[in-house]
Amino acid sequence: MMKPLFNRMALIGVGLIGSSIARAAREQGIVRSIVATARSGATRARIAELGLADQVVDTNAAAVDGADLVILCIPVGRCGEVAAEIAPRLAPGAIVTDVGSVKEAVVRDVAPHLPDTVHFVPGHPVAGTENSGPDAGFSELFIDRWTILTPPEGTDPGAVDRLAAFWSAIGANVETMSPEHHDLVLAVTSHLPHLIAYTIVGTAADLAQVTRSEVLKFSAGGFRDFTRIAASDPTMWRDIFLGNRDAVLEMLGTFGEDLAKMTRAIRRGDGDTLFELFTRTRAIRRGIVQIGQDSDTPDFGRPQKRLPPLPRPYMADGE
Ligand code: NAP
């Protein structure tokens, strides 16, 4: 166990990400105590039942009393109003951070409410699943994944280092960049793929109705992998697309042009263009596996069923 890095960690919002942080920080012994809250009484009761915090309180303002680390683990669209609620009760010297999947919008909404006496270091753990709520979290979620910190100019480097040490202690690799750069990179690596998955699953479901085809039955042909992404939380993803509108629109423009090139190649029977792209993308997949960002087991490690042994064939005497 490590020496505690923080005395009192306040978690505002304890869903997939908040509960994973709580579990991991506890296991590593890096905070002396955890105080938590959530919007609804039902979630607060569940946090207490699961024993995720030393104390569960009813309001966001009460949660931050005396905390030296405050983490907003809530949808990005809620960060501004919650910052206004907690600001008067923040302890001087506290580090305030978040885990939101977009960063410029969070900085814009949160920073104006915070007093000069605290350190605001926005963050984003690039790790997750399609599940939500306090039951969905697990302590290993951040291991070997990246957490990006986007401290505004002039932030105390000591505060950034302390927060980086916190994320490293629960298994993450940490990188620092500007909020704008973060949003551009994530628009390509995460937001655009989610938009495509949401669209494809919607289109295929509509087409299935029109053509009465067996979309679900034959989903293993590729559709199934899109449905996992398209099952992600609707509130979170609505906020991401509204919060990162410019970067997503820019990337969608490029994607649209590339899609048009593929459409033309198919229409013209231009196999070389298709083959060249598919060869390039296969190499990208291999690169991701090589740097340890995914497993190389076939079919993403889904367990393969085995055929039951056939009845013993008839064997003639003496064989
Ligand atoms: P989640 O499982 O839906 O949990 C959200 C939590 O926020 C719930 O405990 C909810 O309480 C609470 N909450 C909502 N509004 C609140 C308010 N006004 N005051 C206090 N608590 C409030 O969400 P999540 O997946 O952990 O995502 C949280 C954040 O992490 C988002 O900003 C998201 O962008 C970011 N993130 C998510 C992923 C991912 O894969 N899921 C990955 C990286 C980053 P109730 O249950 O009572 O509503």
Side-chain angles (χ1 to χ4, degrees):
M1 277 242 195
M2 275 186 78
K3 186 167 145 286
L5 296 166
F6 292 93
N7 218 11
R8 191 171 170 80
M9 172 172 76
L11 290 176
I12 314 252
V14 185
L16 169 73
I17 300 296
S19 73
S20 297
I21 293 175
R23 289 175 168 101
R26 236 299 147 79
E27 268 183 33
Q28 296 306 314
I30 52 172
V31 294
R32 282 208 174 81
S33 70
I34 303 176
V35 56
T37 190
R39 181 176 49 173
S40 66
T43 301
R44 293 196 295 270
R46 189 65 188 144
I47 300 166
E49 237 165 58
L50 291 168
L52 291 170
D54 299 283
Q55 203 188 343
V56 181
V57 297
D58 288 346
T59 66
N60 296 330
V64 305
D65 267 342
D68 51 353
L69 175 63
V70 175
I71 313 185
L72 307 183
C73 304
I74 57 181
V76 286
R78 302 271 76 81
C79 286
E81 67 205 42
V82 170
E85 286 172 43
I86 62 173
R89 307 266 285 263
L90 288 168
I95 293 177
V96 179
T97 184
D98 75 306
V99 295
S101 311
V102 303
K103 296 275 54 91
E104 260 196 295
V106 169
V107 172
R108 180 197 63 210
D109 295 349
V110 171
H113 296 291
L114 300 182
D116 293 343
T117 50
V118 303
H119 307 286
F120 178 39
V121 187
H124 175 205
V126 187
T129 73
E130 65 280 20
N131 301 318
S132 311
D135 286 275
F138 50 99
S139 61
E140 301 85 4
L141 178 63
F142 309 110
I143 297 176
D144 288 341
R145 302 274 91 95
W146 286 94
T147 288
I148 299 172
L149 301 181
T150 63
E153 250 174 66
T155 308
D156 172 11
V160 180
D161 288 349
R162 274 184 83 198
L163 188 60
F166 175 89
W167 281 106
S168 303
I170 57 176
N173 306 313
V174 183
E175 188 145 319
T176 300
M177 62 179 74
S178 73
E180 303 78 42
H181 189 63
H182 167 278
D183 287 0
L184 200 62
V185 172
L186 269 290
V188 186
T189 57
S190 169
H191 307 169
L192 189 61
H194 274 79
L195 194 67
I196 292 167
Y198 280 123
T199 313
I200 277 193
V201 173
T203 306
D206 293 346
L207 282 177
Q209 282 190 350
V210 176
T211 60
R212 296 180 189 283
S213 61
E214 299 94 331
V215 168
L216 295 184
K217 184 167 151 192
F218 297 121
S219 65
F223 180 67
R224 183 178 64 181
D225 291 332
F226 282 108
T227 62
R228 186 191 67 73
I229 299 178
S232 301
D233 188 69
T235 306
M236 168 177 159
W237 282 94
R238 178 202 59 199
D239 287 2
I240 288 174
F241 290 116
L242 298 181
N244 198 18
R245 191 173 54 179
D246 293 347
V248 170
L249 288 177
E250 194 179 323
M251 292 308 153
L252 261 180
T254 308
F255 176 73
E257 287 164 19
D258 290 345
L259 194 61
K261 276 186 219 153
M262 287 296 114
T263 311
R264 199 169 52 233
I266 293 171
R267 191 181 299 118
R268 292 181 178 169
D270 174 3
D272 289 350
T273 297
L274 299 175
F275 192 82
E276 188 272 325
L277 176 71
F278 303 162
T279 308
R280 210 150 48 85
T281 55
R282 174 178 261 196
I284 292 168
R285 166 73 196 167
R286 289 190 177 143
I288 288 172
V289 171
Q290 248 165 28
I291 60 170
Q293 291 296 303
D294 207 354
S295 131
D296 62 352
T297 41
D299 203 14
F300 301 101
R302 287 186 180 107
Q304 296 297 322
K305 284 189 185 156
R306 292 193 169 278
L307 282 173
L310 290 171
R312 271 174 74 82
Y314 170 78
M315 287 189 192
D317 279 351
E319 266 185 78

